[in-house]
Amino acid sequence: MRERRKNRIDLIEEKIESLNKTKWAAGMRITSGVVWNLFLLFIIFGLTLSVFAASVGAGYFASLVAKEPLRSKEEMRNAIFNYEETSEIYLANNVYIGKINSDIERKDTKLERVSPFVLDAVYATEDEYFQEHNGIVPKAIFRGLFQDVTNSDSQTGGSTLTQQLIKNQILTNEVSYERKAKEILLAMRIEHFMEKDEILEAYLNIIPYGRNANGQNIAGIETAAGGIFAKKAADLNLAQAAFIAGIPQAPFAYTPFKSGGGLKDEQYLKPGIDRMKTVLFRMKETEYITEQQYQEAIAYDITQDFRAPVLRANEKYPYLTQEIQNRTVDILTKIIAEKDGIDPERLDKEAKLYEKYFILATRSMQNDGYRIYSTINKDLYDKMNAVGESFEHYGFTYTREAKDPHSGEVELKDDPVQVGAIMIENSTGKILSFIGGRDHSQEATNHATQAYRQNGSAMKPLLVYAPAIEYGVIGAGSPVVDVKFSVKQPDGSMWSPSNYTQSLELGIIPAREALSKSLNLATARLYRDIIDQKPAEFLKKMGISKLSPGDYVNYSTSYGGMDIGMSVEENTNAFATFANGGQFIDAYIIEKIEDMDGNIIYQHTGEPVDVFSPETSYIVTDMLRDVLKPSGTGAQIPKHLNFNMDFAAKTGTTQGYGDAWLVGYNPNVSLGVWLGYKERTRSLYFGLERQTLHPSTRTSILFARLMNAANEVAPELVGASSKFKQPEGVVTRSFCGISGLASSAECSAAGLVKSDLFNAKAMLPTKADDSIISSSYVLVKGEKYLAHPSTPSEFVSSGGTGVNESFIQRMLGPWKGDASKLFPSNSAFSSSIVSSAIFEADDIAPAPVQLTLDGITATWSDSASNDVIGYYVYEDGVQIFVIADGAPHSFNIGGGSYTVKAVDITGKLSEASNSVMMEVAVPDEETPDTMPPDELPPENDDENDEDLLPPIEETPIEDGTE
């Protein structure tokens, strides 16, 4: 068997051997050898080429990433999570009002707060193998590279979610092989440093999603859900999730909204809807959704869910959001500078340094996702601004020329009366609400915080009366002098002020009355008495920021004549010092700032500044209560309040009615109101003929309405039942009302004793009054003067109460003035003080007068001389009447010849006036005998009787003596 098999093998071998010897077999053998060798050659060449290509590719790749630094884990994680997030604004009580205006709006969220539909849609369309790969998908990279090299029409892309995250957060959007190479390298590296969920969460927070309904650029899934569908990301349904997931491929093509806001036209919505259907198809193909879910989602009308535009915070609350942003930047400027080791004080001195950190702070505020909490009470803010919008007494609206910033053309724009108002919580300094202006689109300046204007008479209690009380110069009722003067100011200009009513001089008047009536003359004189002690330092302590060197020395500052002025916030904040018992608490609007992780990076803290004593503050408050009385400048306020409270206030207007102020406060809150035009030279008032209310009436009505509104919506803040508490150091003492000294027997006998509040720690009236003397007086043009020794006694009133010369000089002080005005007829003391000044006579006889006759009544006008105390009337050269100054200049004549002479205070007489006499008619010859005896002409034998001739005027004697 074995041998038979062997023979068979031998036969086969022999057959093969015979074939090999044939010519055809020999050719085949040669051909196969060649083919095999060529095959081996190609294998070797291919391997060599592959190794070479791989080496070249690796070398090229290495060259592309050569300059990419080796980033640490911490550096890469920080870069990934360092995405911009829009900061948000919250009002008091954590009331959210909106986001900071920025280039792109983004809100951070957590992965667990995102709808599963969104995650599945992202996996299906952006990265099917996200959970399996290590940052890249090689076949996708090669496919993309091939399409790029061949310039294929189909560009499917090859970037994983990880690569897209690297591109957006660490690299740039530059289209280059270098950027792609770095992207691949860093994607593989970041996969070692971050969990998959962290990568996915970061991706969903940074990816752009086109625009929201308002046309603002948006990024991040939470912002997209709210901006497109007005939903949370967790609440998105399948169709909504698919629509949003499809947007990142072409954000502005697929977004449903126009750049200016509002929904696109139907034809421009179609690309986004088609993209949504593509995403849904991919989700079905990858088995994330069922066929039924797919069909339902395809049929869903997504257009019904697109949200309508809404007013953004900066559109609804333009003044408020701008103010909060400005103050946030101020705070961040200092914080960022301090982190860099910069002393914040340098920022105030070095403009370029400040500009650098201001820019950094602005970017940080817009893009670092802060939660900014302010002090503003939303209900109160809304109500106060509603009152401001509906106020009907602002006044006349002018027009002014303004250049359009876009076209450059000059246009006419409205120039209405502007308004600024602010309410501050006294005990904390919180700004509770404000009114920034009439129309932000017309005038963006916040007139409550940014406009600086002279504060007029509202300055008086701050700079004059409170310091004078603190220095121990006056008490509440101490006498001040309201008499005109003319002096040279430190700047060399002459200053001759007057009261609101220019002719008004009230003489010696209690300080509280001078303040409640806002008398300029009395205030300026009191300021002169204290200016050497630099009372403007009190203003500096109370936060008045724009004081100039001139404000410290110019007397006109006493009633608001500052070089620059102050804001409504500063003025109101200063008055709150009185409500706080003399402590200044700086007003603020930013309560705290949190970063996106909830860490508090800023918390407001304030240190009270001691300015005035509690005693001084209470006395000033009590004096300012009188402003609201019928005789005060704020008498209109109580008429328009619909509730009662214990409060004090001060009005103020500037020259020409360029500004009108009213600041008032109770123990809890302070409210300041200002009205004025943008152009300071425009006047608020031209009299009642222009049918406008007086500026102080307007501010009074607006103040009352704002306070009514505040009490309506926030009664707990207003605290209407609160009362000012009188400190123990405030005492009531009696004093002589005209001198301010302790009462004397003479002062008491004259009925001049007054009583009022004093700061016992600063001054009390202890020195006895020594100003009263017995006095004889005479009237000159209605004013009382001490009689001269030569004054005719018949013109002198004796036995009255007068004051001595030293008192007069002390009260008038260095600025002097008309002593006769110390106790004018409208003075409260005029009924008690009968003389106060010596009239300086001119030692010249008075000018004569001219007599006129009307029937039997002779009259004459005043003598042209200013020292006349009365007149003598003569009949036939004999004195028959004495007529004192102020009495009627007339008498009935008889049958004689009459003249009048003026008498001056020294007793000198004028020349006699012209003479007048009765004219007697000549009897008619045909007078009947029956004429009654009393109608017959007097008998006269002399036919040349002078009574029948025209009267002869007396010739004046040249030396003026008889």
Side-chain angles (χ1 to χ4, degrees):
M1 190 73 171
R2 184 177 299 172
E3 186 162 337
R4 187 182 296 170
R5 184 181 299 169
K6 180 179 177 183
N7 291 334
R8 192 175 293 169
I9 294 172
D10 291 341
L11 290 173
I12 293 172
E13 288 178 350
E14 289 173 0
K15 187 67 175 175
I16 293 173
E17 182 67 24
S18 64
L19 289 173
N20 286 336
K21 291 179 179 181
T22 65
K23 187 179 291 186
W24 175 83
M28 280 293 295
R29 187 168 59 251
I30 295 171
T31 300
S32 62
V34 172
V35 170
W36 174 251
N37 290 333
L38 287 174
F39 175 74
L40 291 177
L41 182 61
F42 278 121
I43 290 294
I44 294 170
F45 180 76
L47 289 174
T48 303
L49 186 62
S50 297
V51 170
F52 177 77
S55 299
V56 170
Y60 181 58
F61 183 87
S63 69
L64 293 176
V65 300
K67 295 182 180 179
E68 174 63 25
L70 182 63
R71 302 171 190 262
S72 67
K73 175 181 178 180
E74 183 179 0
E75 287 176 329
M76 292 195 71
R77 286 181 64 89
N78 288 341
I80 292 296
F81 289 115
N82 185 31
Y83 44 80
E84 295 177 352
E85 181 180 347
T86 312
S87 298
E88 298 176 335
I89 298 175
Y90 294 82
L91 303 187
N93 303 315
N94 297 330
V95 176
Y96 173 75
I97 64 163
K99 297 180 181 295
I100 294 292
N101 194 29
S102 60
D103 295 334
I104 189 167
E105 186 174 317
R106 176 188 282 112
K107 180 177 176 60
D108 183 29
T109 192
K110 298 296 182 183
L111 199 60
E112 59 267 21
R113 294 200 287 268
V114 178
S115 168
F117 289 129
V118 172
L119 305 184
D120 293 343
V122 170
Y123 290 148
T125 56
E126 297 294 333
D127 197 345
E128 183 179 353
Y129 304 105
F130 175 70
Q131 296 295 343
E132 287 79 35
H133 65 63
N134 63 347
I136 64 172
V137 178
K139 68 176 182 180
I141 293 175
F142 286 121
R143 182 178 65 245
L145 180 61
F146 178 78
Q147 291 171 347
D148 185 54
V149 170
T150 60
N151 198 25
S152 173
D153 292 335
S154 175
Q155 296 286 332
T156 58
S159 295
T160 63
L161 295 182
T162 310
Q163 287 175 264
Q164 292 182 54
L165 186 62
I166 293 295
K167 179 181 69 174
N168 281 280
Q169 291 303 100
I170 297 179
L171 302 176
T172 67
N173 288 324
E174 176 192 5
V175 179
S176 68
Y177 290 121
E178 180 180 353
R179 194 271 298 165
K180 195 68 176 180
K182 292 179 180 179
E183 178 186 300
I184 293 169
L185 177 67
L186 293 175
M188 291 188 293
R189 186 169 176 78
I190 198 65
E191 287 272 350
H192 294 289
F193 298 152
M194 295 177 65
E195 300 293 333
K196 287 289 186 178
D197 282 356
E198 290 181 308
I199 294 173
L200 181 58
E201 181 179 297
Y203 170 85
L204 290 172
N205 279 319
I206 64 96
I207 206 71
Y209 285 102
R211 306 185 191 96
N212 62 16
N214 289 335
Q216 187 173 13
N217 297 336
I218 56 176
I221 188 64
E222 187 67 38
T223 309
I228 298 173
F229 297 116
K231 281 190 171 184
K232 298 285 187 182
D235 300 329
L236 294 171
N237 62 32
L238 175 57
Q240 293 166 346
F243 187 91
I244 289 179
I247 292 177
Q249 188 182 69
F252 298 111
Y254 295 152
T255 183
F257 303 113
K258 296 179 289 188
S259 61
L263 200 62
K264 290 179 178 178
D265 295 336
E266 185 176 352
Q267 59 180 325
Y268 299 111
L269 289 175
K270 190 175 184 301
I273 295 174
D274 289 344
R275 174 62 178 166
M276 176 193 74
K277 293 177 180 179
T278 300
V279 172
L280 288 169
F281 179 78
R282 288 289 301 149
M283 292 179 74
K284 185 189 74 166
E285 289 294 298
T286 52
E287 299 182 353
Y288 284 109
I289 59 175
T290 66
E291 178 68 28
Q292 181 181 351
Q293 288 176 306
Y294 171 73
Q295 293 299 335
E296 291 175 352
I298 287 292
Y300 187 83
D301 183 9
I302 195 68
T303 61
Q304 67 182 352
D305 294 342
F306 295 141
R307 75 176 301 170
V310 294
L311 285 177
R312 289 177 286 184
N314 65 308
E315 294 170 331
K316 187 175 182 180
Y317 297 108
Y319 287 113
L320 177 57
T321 54
Q322 189 60 53
E323 188 65 28
I324 290 174
Q325 289 178 193
N326 289 347
R327 300 207 183 198
T328 300
V329 170
D330 289 342
I331 292 168
L332 293 177
T333 299
K334 295 178 181 179
I335 290 175
I336 296 172
E338 284 184 306
K339 284 183 179 179
D340 288 351
I342 303 296
D343 185 348
E345 292 185 2
R346 287 180 57 191
L347 300 175
D348 297 329
K349 302 173 184 177
E350 301 177 36
K352 290 187 177 180
L353 186 67
Y354 173 80
E355 182 181 4
K356 170 187 174 181
Y357 284 99
F358 177 83
I359 293 173
L360 293 174
T362 301
R363 293 173 182 168
S364 178
M365 182 270 297
Q366 292 175 339
N367 304 318
D368 287 350
Y370 294 117
R371 310 295 181 264
I372 304 166
Y373 295 86
S374 80
T375 61
I376 297 295
N377 182 293
K378 182 179 181 298
D379 292 340
L380 180 56
Y381 185 89
D382 289 341
K383 189 69 174 180
M384 281 182 58
N385 278 269
V387 170
E389 289 172 6
S390 63
F391 189 63
E392 70 275 26
H393 299 303
Y394 283 118
F396 186 73
T397 296
Y398 292 90
T399 56
R400 59 183 171 87
E401 291 185 346
K403 182 178 289 187
D404 186 276
H406 303 294
S407 67
E409 296 181 358
V410 176
E411 302 175 341
L412 285 179
K413 290 191 175 182
D414 285 346
D415 187 17
V417 175
Q418 290 295 340
V419 59
I422 198 165
M423 180 173 282
I424 298 172
E425 186 174 57
N426 298 329
S427 61
T428 63
K430 291 179 181 178
I431 297 176
L432 302 174
S433 179
F434 65 82
I435 300 175
R438 298 282 298 279
D439 184 349
H440 187 271
S441 63
Q442 188 179 70
E443 176 54 56
T445 301
N446 186 335
H447 295 91
T449 63
Q450 299 168 6
Y452 288 80
R453 307 287 284 242
Q454 294 182 343
N455 66 337
S457 292
M459 179 69 86
K460 293 171 181 175
L462 302 172
L463 181 61
V464 183
Y465 289 90
I469 294 171
E470 188 77 2
Y471 294 148
V473 175
I474 62 169
S478 296
V480 292
V481 178
D482 194 62
V483 173
K484 289 184 178 181
F485 58 87
S486 182
V487 296
K488 182 179 289 187
Q489 292 222 86
D491 62 5
S493 62
M494 290 303 297
W495 188 44
S496 302
S498 65
N499 286 320
Y500 175 79
T501 302
Q502 294 189 3
S503 61
L504 182 67
E505 295 174 87
L506 292 184
I508 292 178
I509 187 172
R512 71 162 60 244
E513 184 178 350
L515 181 57
S516 69
K517 292 182 176 179
S518 203
L519 300 177
N520 296 336
L521 299 174
T523 300
R525 284 180 176 272
L526 178 59
Y527 188 55
R528 191 215 67 81
D529 293 341
I530 64 173
I531 195 170
D532 289 344
Q533 300 184 64
K534 295 185 177 180
E537 288 294 332
F538 288 109
L539 297 180
K540 186 176 181 180
K541 285 185 177 181
M542 290 186 287
I544 308 305
S545 62
K546 298 192 180 297
L547 289 168
S548 70
D551 294 334
Y552 283 82
V553 297
N554 290 331
Y555 300 121
S556 56
T557 310
S558 62
Y559 51 86
M562 298 177 67
D563 288 340
I564 298 175
M566 62 180 70
S567 67
V568 180
E569 177 187 346
E570 289 183 348
N571 203 11
T572 307
N573 203 185
F575 273 84
T577 303
F578 299 133
N580 287 327
Q583 286 191 324
F584 172 72
I585 300 176
D586 199 10
Y588 70 99
I589 203 169
I590 305 299
E591 191 69 69
K592 66 177 178 179
I593 302 174
E594 294 179 353
D595 64 18
M596 64 176 68
D597 296 322
N599 301 312
I600 297 176
I601 66 163
Y602 170 80
Q603 176 71 59
H604 174 79
T605 56
E607 288 294 328
V609 177
D610 290 329
V611 181
F612 300 113
S613 67
E615 291 78 12
T616 293
S617 298
Y618 180 83
I619 291 173
V620 171
T621 296
D622 189 65
M623 295 168 72
L624 292 177
R625 284 168 169 154
D626 288 2
V627 172
L628 309 167
K629 292 181 177 179
S631 61
T633 57
Q636 294 292 324
I637 303 173
K639 298 177 183 179
H640 295 276
L641 279 176
N642 59 17
F643 68 103
N644 295 320
M645 65 175 173
D646 183 10
F647 79 112
K650 184 68 188 78
T651 60
T653 55
T654 56
Q655 187 173 10
Y657 300 106
D659 307 89
W661 293 83
L662 201 158
V663 185
Y665 59 94
N666 75 355
N668 287 15
V669 296
S670 295
L671 173 64
V673 174
W674 166 87
L675 296 179
Y677 289 99
K678 178 181 177 66
E679 299 295 333
R680 298 182 184 218
T681 55
R682 293 202 192 279
S683 177
L684 287 165
Y685 189 55
F686 295 97
L688 294 175
E689 68 274 10
R690 293 292 291 270
Q691 298 182 343
T692 56
L693 298 176
H694 188 279
S696 291
T697 301
R698 284 183 252 172
T699 54
S700 295
I701 295 173
L702 181 56
F703 178 96
R705 290 184 185 177
L706 292 174
M707 194 61 83
N708 289 340
N711 190 55
E712 176 185 338
V713 300
E716 73 285 356
L717 293 175
V718 174
S721 61
S722 300
K723 305 290 183 184
F724 290 108
K725 296 179 180 179
Q726 181 172 324
E728 293 183 1
V730 175
V731 297
T732 300
R733 290 291 185 270
S734 297
F735 57 95
C736 189
I738 62 170
S739 66
L741 302 175
S743 178
S744 62
E746 292 80 3
C747 180
S748 179
L752 298 173
V753 177
K754 304 291 181 182
S755 62
D756 213 324
L757 301 178
F758 287 87
N759 180 353
K761 298 178 180 179
M763 75 160 294
L764 288 174
T766 55
K767 180 182 178 182
D769 176 74
D770 59 358
S771 59
I772 305 298
I773 60 172
S774 295
S775 174
S776 297
Y777 74 95
V778 64
L779 290 176
V780 179
K781 296 187 181 300
E783 302 294 340
K784 297 176 182 178
Y785 292 92
L786 294 173
H788 287 221
S790 58
T791 303
S793 60
E794 55 266 40
F795 294 100
V796 176
S797 297
S798 302
T801 301
V803 291
N804 55 43
E805 182 66 19
S806 62
F807 166 82
I808 294 171
Q809 296 303 320
R810 182 171 75 246
M811 297 306 290
L812 290 176
W815 287 355
K816 301 186 181 300
D818 186 350
S820 70
K821 303 293 186 179
L822 288 175
F823 301 104
S825 58
N826 56 0
S827 167
F829 299 111
S830 62
S831 61
S832 301
I833 301 296
V834 295
S835 62
S836 61
I838 298 175
F839 190 93
E840 299 294 337
D842 56 14
D843 202 31
I844 299 174
V849 298
Q850 180 74 25
L851 270 177
T852 59
L853 186 64
D854 183 10
I856 63 171
T857 302
T859 59
W860 68 97
S861 59
D862 286 339
S863 169
S865 300
N866 65 354
D867 56 356
V868 172
I869 59 174
Y871 302 89
Y872 290 144
V873 178
Y874 298 88
E875 181 182 17
D876 297 330
V878 178
Q879 179 182 320
I880 59 172
F881 296 129
V882 174
I883 297 180
D885 179 72
H889 294 178
S890 64
F891 62 92
N892 291 334
I893 66 173
S897 175
Y898 298 90
T899 58
V900 173
K901 294 181 180 181
V903 185
D904 71 13
I905 195 169
T906 63
K908 289 186 172 60
L909 301 178
S910 71
E911 299 170 352
S913 70
N914 59 303
S915 65
V916 296
M917 62 181 62
M918 180 84 69
E919 292 187 7
V920 180
V922 178
D924 192 336
E925 293 180 357
E926 299 179 357
T927 300
D929 294 339
T930 58
M931 180 179 288
D934 59 344
E935 294 186 12
L936 293 174
E939 295 183 1
N940 194 327
D941 293 336
D942 187 353
E943 62 183 24
N944 294 320
D945 194 330
E946 291 182 358
D947 288 342
L948 299 180
L949 300 175
I952 300 175
E953 293 187 7
E954 295 184 8
T955 301
I957 303 174
E958 290 186 3
D959 62 1
T961 60
E962 292 185 80

